[in-house]
Amino acid sequence: MTATQESPTAAGSGANATQNFKAAAQSAAAELADTPPERVAAIVTAVLKGVHAAIEEYDVSYPEFQAAKAWLMEVGEGGEWPLFMDVFVEHAVENQVARSQKGTKGSILGPYYQPDQVRLGSKCRLPRRDDEVGTPLVLSGQVRDLDGSPLAGAEVDIWHADSEGYYSGFAPHVPDGNLRGVVETDEEGRFEIDTIQPAPYMIPHDGPTGQLLEAAGWHPWRPAHLHIQVRAEGHRPVTTQLYFAGGDYLESDVAEATKPELVIDPQDDGTGVRRSSYDFELERG
Ligand code: DHB
Ligand code: FE
């Protein structure tokens, strides 16, 4: 990928992700007002024990402690906490929550969800630039209840990176709303979404998260993916991602958010359009 002048910086996309997250997190914080102090103490103690154990195991020095402290400050100042948490921690929370959810497997939300995108009919094309580059991709499928009944009027909220790995709303050179939309299923619960193949995504690497990756010898890539949240009245929503068979980094996602059940294998229909179907199953609740 070539870096252009307009490439999103870690600080730029981080600041946007921070704003977004703060707005969404307010209601979550209100729900936690009654958390007993015992639970807070138990979780924080467990986290700190892990830190203390690592210090002992690796005989961590004062210069290393100071470097860690300076780095943590930079993550905050650069607005990179949402990126860091979504890459390194969210998958563990998602796996935990998924243990009690039936139906389509979930995956992490990531930092780039934007609510209230354009509403589209069941057979639609996602908003794209006139000169959008990328292999045409059509994703079709059906949204169903666990008992197999189709869910008409369900919402398939989809967002993904462009063919260079950039997300609208976070990369200044991509217009707002590009490759994002809320698709409503038809009376048989079906949808057919015309878009383009996204590229693998490189997490912003010019800030402190990037420094950490480099210092640890880790690569900054996520495999190409489509983000999808499926919602239907009276059902538990599913937040997930679809990945592409044979794609780069599928086995080494920096965010550890891939699952074998979420891999699609689009096939060329003979006209240069790659097509795949994927059905979603939602649990009542
Ligand atoms: C990040 C970006 C993504 O597109 C994603 O799906 C998960 C994490 C990130 O930069 O943190
Ligand atoms: Fe993503």
Side-chain angles (χ1 to χ4, degrees):
M1 186 157 50
T2 50
T4 68
Q5 254 193 325
E6 296 160 313
S7 291
T9 59
S13 58
N16 271 359
T18 299
Q19 272 180 357
N20 248 26
F21 175 75
K22 279 191 175 164
Q26 269 169 3
S27 58
E31 269 177 46
L32 295 180
D34 296 333
T35 306
E38 293 76 17
R39 181 169 170 82
V40 178
I43 295 173
V44 175
T45 300
V47 171
L48 290 175
K49 265 193 185 158
V51 174
H52 302 161
I55 291 170
E56 191 176 328
E57 184 175 355
Y58 294 99
D59 196 14
V60 168
S61 67
Y62 252 101
E64 286 172 328
F65 170 64
Q66 306 292 28
K69 205 164 143 182
W71 179 83
L72 287 163
M73 288 156 70
E74 281 169 26
V75 173
E77 286 159 12
E80 284 196 48
W81 278 119
L83 305 183
F84 180 89
M85 292 296 282
D86 293 356
V87 168
F88 294 109
V89 184
E90 188 183 351
H91 65 90
V93 179
E94 197 287 317
N95 274 324
Q96 194 61 29
V97 172
R99 292 168 71 161
S100 72
Q101 186 155 18
K102 299 194 189 73
T104 300
K105 295 272 183 237
S107 184
I108 65 174
L109 177 70
Y112 297 147
Y113 177 65
Q114 293 186 312
D116 306 321
Q117 298 302 301
V118 66
R119 298 189 65 88
L120 301 163
S122 61
K123 192 167 189 263
C124 63
R125 169 179 275 212
L126 290 190
R128 62 167 81 166
R129 290 162 283 192
D130 291 342
D131 58 351
E132 192 75 44
V133 175
T135 309
L137 173 72
V138 175
L139 179 74
S140 56
Q142 189 183 36
V143 181
R144 292 188 296 261
D145 191 286
L146 288 186
D147 69 11
S149 33
L151 295 173
E155 291 177 341
V156 180
D157 194 341
I158 178 167
W159 69 104
H160 66 84
D162 69 10
S163 66
E164 292 187 312
Y166 294 125
Y167 283 87
S168 61
F170 299 88
H173 66 287
V174 183
D176 281 353
N178 207 58
L179 304 177
R180 294 175 183 268
V182 181
V183 183
E184 195 173 315
T185 60
D186 69 12
E187 55 290 343
E188 289 179 352
R190 293 190 188 280
F191 61 89
E192 184 179 308
I193 304 166
D194 178 354
T195 187
I196 55 112
Q197 171 75 35
Y201 169 79
M202 180 166 51
I203 67 168
H205 63 296
D206 61 330
T209 306
Q211 280 168 9
L212 170 69
L213 292 172
E214 198 177 318
W218 297 333
H219 74 66
W221 292 95
R222 297 212 61 222
H225 56 277
L226 304 172
H227 288 272
I228 298 176
Q229 186 177 74
V230 186
R231 303 181 290 263
E233 183 115 359
H235 290 75
R236 199 168 152 179
V238 169
T239 300
T240 193
Q241 301 186 20
L242 295 178
Y243 302 93
F244 298 91
D248 291 339
Y249 313 110
L250 198 54
E251 309 301 329
S252 63
D253 180 7
V254 66
E256 297 182 53
T258 63
K259 295 183 185 179
E261 299 88 345
L262 299 177
V263 178
I264 57 173
D265 191 9
Q267 299 295 319
D268 194 316
D269 66 3
T271 70
V273 178
R274 298 179 71 219
R275 291 179 185 271
S276 180
S277 71
Y278 198 87
D279 296 342
F280 297 94
E281 289 175 349
L282 302 193
E283 189 180 8
R284 248 172 233 162

